[in-house]
């Protein structure tokens, strides 16, 4: 797939982050293109994808090929694979990689549990890599494990933000439309090759703003920023809901909802982790605020960490967990409470191995109403910054509001 706007390389408004759930995408895209998707299903159209990933990324200026450069400690190509494999109507995804990177690619597939992926040896050029991918999909190949598709999507391994709507447009156009000579006047190299060697006139489909390519080193930072923004759009607040509704924890929950009006704030319960909390995890929430209401110790936080570890949700993205504790200065000396809560360091070391970033927040509240509101508001701001920045350097730290 080629960029939709010749000369454009940056998105004016980046598209949503792929969610990793098969067929899941923005509601607007699903509603506007449900007819095209239904047509693919109705016609039983066989669709596959080929990703040429044999480039060396000289323009990136780093020794690692750009498709394997890490973003939030995860290789870039893994995000692109996720964007494609979440679509149930793409049957097979063939990735062309060099022999020297074949084992690394196999490791990525295994570690991040990618499905429907096959590997082939890359060629000396991008077009040879594509050819090798197409050969693997062709009928009659020896030891063939793949079914022959009717439409093949060619997509760059370093375009991680492609959305379902543009892929549907490409597939339906490939199946249903011819093209005029005007479409070829854009001079796109792949279109010229299709006309010259296959005598096929291709249909040029305008791309969306999020269809941009990671080419230079600064693009990695841009991609990381977009990913951080997307996975920070939802927070789940977990606490013992059977406690007194007048407890300061519930006031803090309301403060979070008021202060973080740009974030979807949901509530989960550890009383029945098999129901609502599991559903929130399935919806791909990567931010959890555990309010320890019943006790100032880590009992509730430990329960939440156990649930998250069992879910394996942190395989794809780092999960941020903020353990919130309250201190009434009239009952417990702050020095003693701080000492008790520093065990968070040991919890944090253990769960960081599972890509879970744990830190603590101690809210020291006096009885005066206005000062309490100020402390709660400051705590909400701290949480917003922790989730947005996803700073691994703060793992195991205990912050005070």
């Amino acid at each position: 797939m080629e960029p939709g706007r010749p000369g454009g390389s940056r998105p004016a408004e980046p598209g949503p982050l792929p969610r990793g759930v098969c067929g899941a995408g923005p509601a607007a895209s699903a509603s506007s293109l449900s007819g095209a998707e239904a047509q693919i299903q109705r016609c039983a159209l066989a669709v596959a994808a080929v990703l040429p990933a044999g480039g060396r990324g000289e323009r990136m200026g780093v020794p690692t090929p750009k498709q394997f450069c890490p973003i939030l400690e995860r290789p870039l190509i893994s995000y692109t694979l996720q964007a494609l494999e979440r679509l149930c109507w793409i049957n097979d995804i063939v990735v062309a990689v060099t022999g020297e990177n074949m084992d690394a690619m196999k490791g990525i597939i295994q570690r991040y549990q990618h499905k429907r992926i096959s590997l082939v040896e890359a060629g000396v050029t991008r077009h040879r890599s594509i050819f090798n991918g197409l050969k693997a999909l062709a009928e009659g190949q020896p030891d063939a494990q793949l079914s022959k598709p009717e439409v093949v999507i060619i997509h760059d391994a370093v375009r991680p933000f492609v959305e379902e709507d543009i892929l549907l447009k490409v597939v339906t156009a490939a199946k249903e439309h011819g093209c005029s000579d005007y479409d070829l006047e854009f001079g796109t190299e792949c279109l010229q090759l299709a006309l010259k060697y296959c005598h096929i006139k291709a249909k040029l489909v305008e791309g969306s703003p999020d269809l941009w390519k990671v080419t230079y080193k600064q693009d990695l930072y841009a991609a990381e920023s977009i990913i951080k923004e997307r996975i920070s759009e939802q927070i789940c607040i977990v606490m013992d809901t059977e406690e007194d509704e007048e407890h300061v924890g519930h006031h803090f929950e309301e403060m979070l909802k008021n202060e973080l009006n740009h974030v979807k704030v949901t509530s989960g319960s550890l009383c029945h982790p098999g129901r609502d909390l599991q559903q929130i995890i399935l919806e791909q929430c990567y931010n959890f605020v555990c309010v320890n209401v019943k006790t100032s110790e880590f009992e509730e936080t430990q329960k939440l960490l156990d649930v998250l570890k069992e879910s394996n949700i942190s395989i794809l993205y780092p999960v941020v967990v903020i353990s919130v504790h309250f201190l009434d200065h009239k009952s417990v000396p702050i020095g003693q409470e701080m000492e008790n809560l520093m065990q968070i360091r040991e919890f944090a070391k253990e769960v960081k191995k599972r890509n879970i970033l744990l830190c603590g927040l101690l809210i020291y509240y006096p009885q005066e109403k206005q000062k309490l509101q100020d402390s709660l508001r400051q705590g909400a701001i701290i949480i917003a910054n922790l989730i947005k920045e996803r700073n691994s350097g703060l793992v195991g730290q205990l912050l005070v509001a």
Side-chain angles (χ1 to χ4, degrees):
M1 292 181 58
E2 298 297 326
R5 292 180 174 83
S9 59
R10 297 262 68 79
E13 188 66 31
L17 182 76
R19 295 296 182 186
V21 179
C22 190
S29 299
S31 61
S32 62
L33 287 158
S34 57
E37 184 175 5
Q39 185 172 355
I40 290 176
Q41 295 175 346
R42 189 165 55 249
C43 299
L45 187 61
V47 180
V50 171
L51 271 66
R56 298 181 179 179
E58 288 89 350
R59 286 176 291 180
M60 181 72 73
V62 295
T64 303
K66 56 190 174 184
Q67 61 269 27
F68 299 111
C69 285
I71 297 178
L72 294 180
E73 301 183 10
R74 177 180 160 200
L76 174 61
I77 193 171
S78 177
Y79 292 93
T80 308
L81 291 177
Q82 182 192 7
L84 296 176
E85 68 182 350
R86 78 190 196 279
L87 306 178
C88 298
W89 47 267
I90 296 181
N91 298 328
D92 298 298
I93 303 169
V94 179
V95 183
V97 296
T98 60
E100 61 189 280
N101 290 319
M102 190 68 71
D103 288 341
M105 191 68 234
K106 290 178 181 178
I108 290 170
I109 293 171
Q110 181 178 7
R111 178 175 181 181
Y112 299 102
Q113 300 183 10
H114 292 298
K115 308 297 182 184
R116 312 194 307 276
I117 311 296
S118 299
L119 301 180
V120 297
E121 184 101 16
V124 294
T125 65
R126 182 179 187 273
H127 299 297
R128 282 291 174 184
S129 294
I130 294 171
F131 178 67
N132 291 348
L134 294 175
K135 281 199 302 182
L137 291 165
E139 192 173 39
Q141 292 295 310
D143 302 321
Q145 301 293 321
L146 307 173
S147 57
K148 183 179 180 180
E150 296 173 76
V151 174
V152 179
I153 299 170
I154 309 299
H155 185 68
D156 288 337
V158 289
R159 295 185 193 271
F161 298 113
V162 62
E163 279 299 320
E164 183 176 15
D165 56 355
I166 189 65
L167 294 174
L168 283 169
K169 287 178 182 178
V170 168
V171 170
T172 53
K175 180 66 177 177
E176 298 177 4
H177 298 286
C179 72
S180 65
D181 290 340
Y182 175 79
D183 287 323
L184 296 174
E185 289 179 4
F186 285 96
T188 303
E189 183 183 7
C190 287
L191 299 183
Q192 291 176 334
L193 290 171
L195 179 62
K196 180 178 179 180
Y197 294 105
C198 302
H199 308 292
I200 295 174
K201 291 183 178 181
K203 175 69 176 178
L204 188 66
V205 176
E206 183 175 0
S208 55
D210 51 36
L211 190 61
W212 59 277
K213 182 179 180 181
V214 174
T215 303
Y216 301 100
K217 193 172 183 179
Q218 58 265 33
D219 295 337
L220 290 173
Y221 304 129
E224 180 175 298
S225 178
I226 293 171
I227 292 170
K228 282 183 176 180
E229 179 182 351
R230 293 301 180 235
I231 61 179
S232 299
E233 290 179 343
Q234 182 176 354
I235 298 174
C236 175
I237 302 174
V238 179
M239 75 169 79
D240 186 350
T241 55
E242 294 178 354
E243 276 295 304
D244 182 4
E245 292 295 325
E246 293 302 315
H247 188 278
V248 66
H250 293 282
H251 294 299
F252 184 60
E253 180 179 2
E254 292 304 313
M255 180 66 69
L256 276 173
K257 292 178 178 179
N258 292 334
E259 290 293 317
L260 306 181
N261 52 21
H262 62 290
V263 174
K264 179 183 177 183
V265 180
T266 56
S267 298
S269 172
L270 285 164
C271 298
H272 307 287
R275 298 205 296 267
D276 52 350
L277 185 58
Q278 290 290 358
Q279 183 59 40
I280 290 169
I281 291 173
L282 286 174
E283 292 172 357
Q284 306 293 293
C285 179
Y286 291 93
N287 309 289
F288 294 85
V289 177
C290 187
V291 181
N292 292 267
V293 173
K294 190 181 298 184
T295 173
S296 62
E297 303 299 329
F298 284 94
E299 180 181 347
E300 296 300 303
T301 299
Q302 184 65 66
K303 291 179 183 178
L304 174 61
L305 292 174
D306 290 341
V307 172
L308 293 174
K309 286 189 288 186
E310 290 177 6
S311 73
N312 283 331
I313 188 176
S314 58
I315 287 176
L316 294 178
Y317 302 103
V319 174
V320 172
V321 176
I322 301 168
S323 183
V324 179
H325 306 265
F326 297 97
L327 171 64
D328 184 345
H329 71 291
K330 291 185 177 181
S331 59
V332 181
I334 188 169
Q336 177 183 332
E337 187 65 15
M338 288 282 287
E339 183 177 345
N340 293 338
L341 294 177
M342 287 315 294
Q343 60 181 297
I344 192 173
R345 293 177 178 174
E346 298 306 315
F347 284 133
K349 287 179 185 178
E350 177 190 348
V351 298
K352 192 175 187 299
K353 300 173 185 176
R354 303 290 295 269
N355 208 22
I356 298 175
L357 309 181
L358 171 66
C359 59
L361 176 62
L362 177 61
I363 298 181
Y364 169 74
Y365 67 97
Q367 297 303 310
E368 292 84 349
K369 184 176 180 180
Q370 184 56 51
K371 290 185 177 180
L372 174 58
Q373 291 295 315
D374 291 343
S375 294
L376 296 180
R377 185 172 293 108
Q378 183 183 358
I381 293 172
I382 290 173
I383 287 176
N385 290 333
L386 286 172
I387 288 173
K388 183 178 180 180
E389 294 302 321
R390 314 188 87 77
N391 187 348
S392 60
L394 291 176
V395 170
Q397 298 296 312
L398 180 64
L399 307 176
V400 180

